[in-house]
């Protein structure tokens, strides 16, 4: 079975073509700067063949048309025709309260995703563009959507509610939804496979630390709390997002600096976080290099970033009545041994003994980084959200085929 996974952002499309039996990625790539000057497509085949196409790409449908052309091209393609594609899996950021798992696309599902746009105005429209484009280009191929929010739909109400008038929750669906769900799900399950323990018996804290960062408490197989909220702004300090902050700061600044809503939104989403504090960069590699050169604000930013994560780990351990496993993932979590060491120190009080030697030099690979004697295990697990989407798509398509076969038997 071959499955294409699509991740459509406002001006980009990331894609991977999977051969499901072996889980091999036959080709992957990205379309960038859609609707802007200087659009381009990069495709990489699993035998190392690389292609860069430059030229204006006006919208997502044209971008996807090019991608399909590349994937089936004689010179740079990976398949002979579209008939070889069994299904398409889409990443959709916000599924609101309507979706707690991946689903097969139907008109009803599309309507429900459209209804979620009000609470996800930035992410919903480009996600839908990818779905509309695929329906137009490959109308006979089944499509599945996987939601970033779905994994967190198991949170109890006292964890997802905000303390604002209850009527506003009812009216607008204002509550914590959480994001990076496929990543938290994948790395928590994978950690249990590596440790050879039953997922449904473990209390796990997963730290997804990338440009966007979130942390999740998973108790006995279910997400019970997560740091991102109704939008991906809440929680940890991120590359350019402030994370948790007294809301009074925003209203103060809006008044004193006479900021309109758009400017205030840009301030906390694009000019804050590590970039705002350090004034150097949002990129962790550059910030660590600056800190090593003696830059005090880079040092302060890093201390704030690590401190916030430590506070969340402590509070999630309390929320679960203990913790068995802590997992690092995302660009920083997977690659920065320095960051992991700073976060992991001083947790002996709760049974976590960090092993600095095992941690040193671990970049982008699975590794247990706690001491053998440690009661709480700590691991690095590179995330693979695309594989989660591909596997969910495969499961749903196979179920549908079984149901169709059963229906035929009835006749
Ligand atoms: P996104 O949220 O955009 O998917 P990523 O998960 O790719 O982000 O993470 C990007 C972050 O990972 C950047 O801050 C980058 O500096 C950081 N990063 C990647 N490699 C390293 C490294 N070796 N050391 C420190 N930080 C790293």
């Amino acid at each position: 079975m071959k499955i294409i996974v699509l991740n459509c952002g406002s001006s980009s499309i990331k894609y991977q073509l999977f051969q499901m039996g072996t889980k091999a990625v036959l080709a992957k790539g990205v379309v960038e700067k859609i609707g802007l000057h200087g659009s381009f497509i990069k495709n990489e085949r699993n035998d190392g063949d690389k292609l860069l196409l430059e030229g204006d790409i006006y919208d997502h449908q044209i971008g996807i048309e090019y991608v399909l052309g590349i994937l089936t091209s004689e010179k740079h393609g990976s398949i002979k025709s579209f008939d070889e594609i069994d299904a398409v899996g889409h990443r959709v950021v916000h599924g609101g309260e309507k979706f707690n798992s991946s689903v097969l696309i139907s008109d009803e599902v599309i309507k429900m995703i459209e209804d979620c746009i009000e609470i996800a105005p930035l992410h919903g429209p480009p996600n839908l563009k990818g779905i509309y484009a695929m329906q137009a280009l490959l109308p006979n191929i089944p499509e599945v959507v996987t939601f970033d929010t779905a994994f967190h739909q198991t949170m109890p109400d006292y964890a997802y509610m905000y303390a604002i008038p209850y009527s506003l929750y009812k009216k607008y669906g204002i509550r914590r939804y959480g994001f990076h769900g496929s990543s938290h799900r994948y790395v928590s399950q994978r950690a249990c496979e590596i440790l050879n323990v039953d997922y449904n018996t473990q209390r796990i804290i997963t730290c997804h630390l990338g440009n966007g960062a979130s942390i999740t408490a998973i108790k006995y197989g279910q997400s019970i709390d997560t740091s991102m909220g109704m939008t991906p702004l809440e929680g940890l300090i991120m590359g350019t997002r402030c994370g948790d902050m007294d809301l009074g700061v925003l209203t103060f600044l809006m008044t004193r600096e006479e900021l309109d809503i758009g400017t205030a939104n840009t301030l906390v989403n694009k000019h804050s976080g590590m970039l705002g504090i350090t004034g150097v960069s949002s990129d962790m590699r550059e910030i660590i290099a600056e800190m090593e050169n003696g830059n005090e604000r880079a040092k302060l930013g890093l201390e704030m970033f690590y401190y916030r994560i430590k506070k969340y780990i402590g509070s999630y351990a309390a929320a679960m009545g203990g913790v068995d496993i802590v997992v690092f993932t995302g660009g920083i979590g997977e690659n920065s041994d320095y960051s992991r060491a700073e976060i992991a120190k001083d947790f002996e009080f709760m049974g976590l003994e960090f092993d600095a030697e095992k941690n040193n030099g671990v970049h982008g690979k699975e590794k247990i980084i706690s001491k053998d004697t440690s009661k709480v295990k700590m691991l690095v697990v590179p995330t693979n959200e695309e594989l989660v989407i591909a596997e969910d798509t495969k499961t749903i398509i196979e179920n549908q085929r079984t149901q169709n076969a059963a229906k035929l038997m009835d006749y």
Side-chain angles (χ1 to χ4, degrees):
M1 184 184 273
K2 291 190 180 71
I3 290 175
I4 296 187
V5 172
L6 284 185
N7 179 357
C8 294
S10 55
S11 63
S12 72
I13 302 168
K14 293 188 189 124
Y15 62 92
Q16 291 195 13
L17 175 66
F18 282 92
Q19 174 69 59
M20 290 315 291
T22 55
K23 298 182 186 172
V25 177
L26 301 177
K28 65 178 176 183
V30 64
V31 187
E32 296 264 16
K33 298 196 172 180
I34 297 169
L36 305 166
H37 288 301
S39 334
F40 61 89
I41 307 180
K42 275 185 192 166
N43 183 75
E44 198 179 330
R45 211 166 49 186
N46 62 347
D47 63 359
D49 176 77
K50 285 190 182 147
L51 173 69
L52 172 68
L53 268 187
E54 289 169 307
D56 288 345
I57 297 170
Y58 299 109
D59 63 26
H60 285 69
Q61 180 153 334
I62 295 174
I64 293 175
E65 236 174 304
Y66 275 118
V67 170
L68 293 174
I70 294 169
L71 291 176
T72 50
S73 90
E74 214 164 288
K75 197 157 175 221
H76 301 283
S78 304
I79 49 176
K80 291 204 168 59
S81 84
F82 300 146
D83 296 342
E84 287 184 53
I85 301 171
D86 292 273
V88 181
H90 294 270
R91 174 184 183 210
V92 170
V93 171
H94 219 307
E97 288 186 319
K98 298 174 199 284
F99 300 99
N100 58 12
S101 63
S102 302
V103 284
L104 188 67
I105 290 187
S106 63
D107 290 346
E108 196 192 347
V109 165
I110 290 183
K111 169 82 183 60
M112 285 157 82
I113 299 172
E114 286 169 348
D115 289 346
C116 292
I117 286 182
E118 191 180 10
I119 47 175
L122 295 180
H123 296 101
N127 294 162
L128 276 163
K129 277 185 193 165
I131 295 173
Y132 301 143
M134 267 301 183
Q135 286 194 318
L137 295 167
L138 301 177
N140 299 320
I141 294 179
E143 296 179 66
V144 166
V145 277
T146 298
F147 302 92
D148 276 22
T149 48
F151 180 60
H152 303 299
Q153 278 296 300
T154 46
M155 282 187 287
D157 51 5
Y158 55 79
Y160 69 66
M161 288 298 294
Y162 291 125
I164 54 171
Y166 192 81
S167 56
L168 294 173
Y169 162 63
K170 285 306 224 189
K171 191 170 176 186
Y172 297 113
I174 294 176
R175 49 159 284 184
R176 175 183 313 287
Y177 289 96
F179 298 87
H180 290 142
S182 303
S183 175
H184 291 293
R185 189 175 123 203
Y186 175 80
V187 300
S188 56
Q189 290 174 344
R190 187 72 201 120
C192 289
E193 282 169 16
I194 295 166
L195 294 168
N196 199 17
V197 290
D198 179 1
Y199 189 50
N200 296 319
T201 64
Q202 300 295 299
R203 293 160 300 180
I204 308 169
I205 297 173
T206 45
C207 310
H208 178 113
L209 311 177
N211 285 316
S214 69
I215 179 162
T216 296
I218 301 157
K219 187 175 187 184
Y220 308 148
Q222 298 200 319
S223 166
I224 61 131
D225 206 349
T226 191
S227 59
M228 281 180 167
M230 174 168 142
T231 74
L233 178 60
E234 196 182 348
L236 303 180
I237 296 172
M238 304 177 220
T240 60
R241 290 174 236 165
C242 63
D244 295 338
M245 184 177 73
D246 178 358
L247 295 175
V249 172
L250 200 58
T251 49
F252 173 89
L253 284 176
M254 287 178 79
T255 313
R256 292 298 293 266
E257 297 271 316
E258 296 181 7
L259 306 182
D260 60 27
I261 291 173
T263 313
N265 201 26
T266 306
L267 173 73
V268 290
N269 275 292
K270 300 233 154 65
H271 299 310
S272 295
M274 298 305 287
L275 175 66
I277 306 158
T278 64
V280 167
S281 167
S282 61
D283 189 292
M284 198 49 104
R285 281 165 294 206
E286 291 174 25
I287 297 166
I288 292 173
E290 276 293 313
M291 182 266 304
E292 286 167 349
N293 285 337
N295 182 322
E296 283 299 319
R297 271 169 58 191
K299 180 169 170 277
L300 171 65
L302 291 168
E303 284 169 354
M304 290 168 67
F305 180 79
Y306 302 139
Y307 178 64
R308 178 86 49 97
I309 297 167
K310 286 178 87 78
K311 281 209 296 189
Y312 266 96
I313 292 177
S315 64
Y316 283 171
M320 293 192 289
V323 56
D324 303 299
I325 305 171
V326 179
V327 189
F328 284 112
T329 195
I332 301 163
E334 292 167 24
N335 295 301
S336 177
D337 43 5
Y338 174 78
S339 298
R340 291 191 301 259
E342 288 298 306
I343 296 162
K345 65 185 179 196
D346 302 331
F347 274 120
E348 287 79 9
F349 76 94
M350 61 178 211
L352 170 55
E353 297 169 69
F354 176 68
D355 190 324
E357 255 175 53
K358 284 189 195 163
N359 175 60
N360 280 348
V362 176
H363 305 298
K365 63 173 192 205
E366 294 178 345
K367 180 92 188 270
I368 299 170
I369 54 169
S370 48
K371 291 197 169 138
D372 295 345
T373 49
S374 182
K375 197 165 73 59
V376 179
K377 304 296 175 201
M378 181 169 259
L379 290 90
V380 179
V381 180
T383 196
N384 198 340
E385 290 157 292
E386 293 77 16
L387 182 61
V388 171
I389 299 170
E391 288 195 320
D392 276 10
T393 304
K394 174 175 175 272
T395 306
I396 288 173
I397 298 306
E398 282 175 347
N399 286 345
Q400 191 208 21
R401 285 180 182 169
T402 313
Q403 281 167 14
N404 288 346
K407 269 191 212 150
L408 278 177
M409 299 279 280
D410 285 345
Y411 286 110

